[in-house]
Amino acid sequence: MTRKTIVVSIPVSEACLSRLSSHYDVIALPNGLGSGSPSLDGDAVWAVVTNGSTGLSDIQMASLPKLELVCSYGAGYENIDLQAARQRGVRVTHAPNTNMETVADHALALMLAVSRDICNRDRALRDGGWATIRSPRPTLSGARLGVIGFGNIGQAIARRAEAFGMRVSYTTPEPMPGVTQPHLPDAVSLAKVSDFLVVACPGGPSTRHLVNRAVLDALGPTGFLVNISRGMVVNTEDLVQALGDRTIAGAALDVFEGEPTLPLALRDLANLVVTPHMAGRSPASDAAQIDALINNLAAASAGGALTAQLA
C-alpha cells in the first residue's frame, strides 16, 4: 500500500516525528508552509499537522489540491481557516485537554514567580545580595483571582488556585453552566475585583487586545497579570506602559505579540517574568498530543470518525 504524505508545518519533538515516520511519508517544515523545499509536491500531500498559532489558510489549502485532513497539534485552531476547509471538503481536528493540566500548572508557577519576585531575587542572591532582597512580597493565599475564559484550562487553573485558598471569579461571553464561581460581564469588571488576572481565553479576532489600558487600570497598582493564552489578547503597548508606570504591580507572560522575538520594550522590565510559549509542554502532555494525532490520522486513513472534529 502506498504510504500517505504528511506535512508537519510546526516544530514537534523527535518522538513525534519518529512515530509519524513509522506510518507515513513525513515532510518536516518547522517554519511553516512556504519555508521549505521548492520541490514540495502539493499534489502528494494528504494531511497537514499545524497548530493554532501557525494555522493553515485558504491559499495554503489551495496549493495542496489532494489535502484531506488538517490536524492541529494542541487545543488551539484560531488561524486555521475552518470555512475554507469545509468548502474544500477538508476535515479538521484538534487535541483539546491533552495539555490542559500542564498549562494550568504553569499558570500557577507564573503567578508565584511574579508575585514572590523569584526570578529577580534568585539573580540578586547569586550576585551576593541578601538583606536588601528579603522584603515581604504578596502571596496567593487569600488573594482574589480573575480568569478571562473559563473553559477546561481556565477551570483547571481555578481548581489549583482554590487549593491555595484563592477566591475565584471569571468572565466569559455567557455564564458557564454548572459553574459555581461568580461570573462577571466583562474583563474590566473582573479586573476591578482581582488581585491576579489570568488570561485563559482563545485567541482570534474577537479577543485581540481584549486586555488593554482600561483592563490594566482596573487591575490597579497591586494587581498582577498572567497570560498563558495567546499574545494577541494583550495589548503590548498598553502593558509596557502599565508596567513601566507601575500602574500594575507586575506581569508574567508565556505568550506575547511578535513571538518568538521578545519586544524590545519588554526586555528590561524588572516587574515582568517571561517564558517561551512552553506552558503546555511536558513529557506527559507531549505524549498525549502525539497519541491524539496518531489516532486521528489512523482514523482518517481508514475512513473512520475523528475525535474533536472541527470541520
Side-chain angles (χ1 to χ4, degrees), residues 140-165:
L140 306 190
S141 179
R144 302 167 300 170
L145 171 64
V147 184
I148 299 176
F150 215 58
N152 292 327
I153 290 174
Q155 292 182 43
I157 293 169
R159 289 193 296 272
R160 286 158 173 74
E162 288 172 339
F164 273 81

Side-chain angles (χ1 to χ4, degrees), residues 6 12 41-43 58 76 90 99 112 119 155 158 167 179 184 190 203 222 224 257 266 269 283 288 311:
I6 297 172
V12 296
D41 180 4
D43 286 330
D58 184 25
V90 175
N99 64 4
L112 286 165
C119 298
Q155 292 182 43
R167 294 165 285 164
V179 166
L184 278 295
L190 182 66
T222 61
F224 296 93
E257 292 184 294
L266 293 174
L269 292 167

Side-chain angles (χ1 to χ4, degrees), residues 13-27:
S13 67
E14 288 298 324
C16 181
L17 289 175
S18 176
R19 287 189 62 183
L20 288 172
S21 298
S22 297
H23 304 283
Y24 308 98
D25 289 335
V26 177
I27 300 171

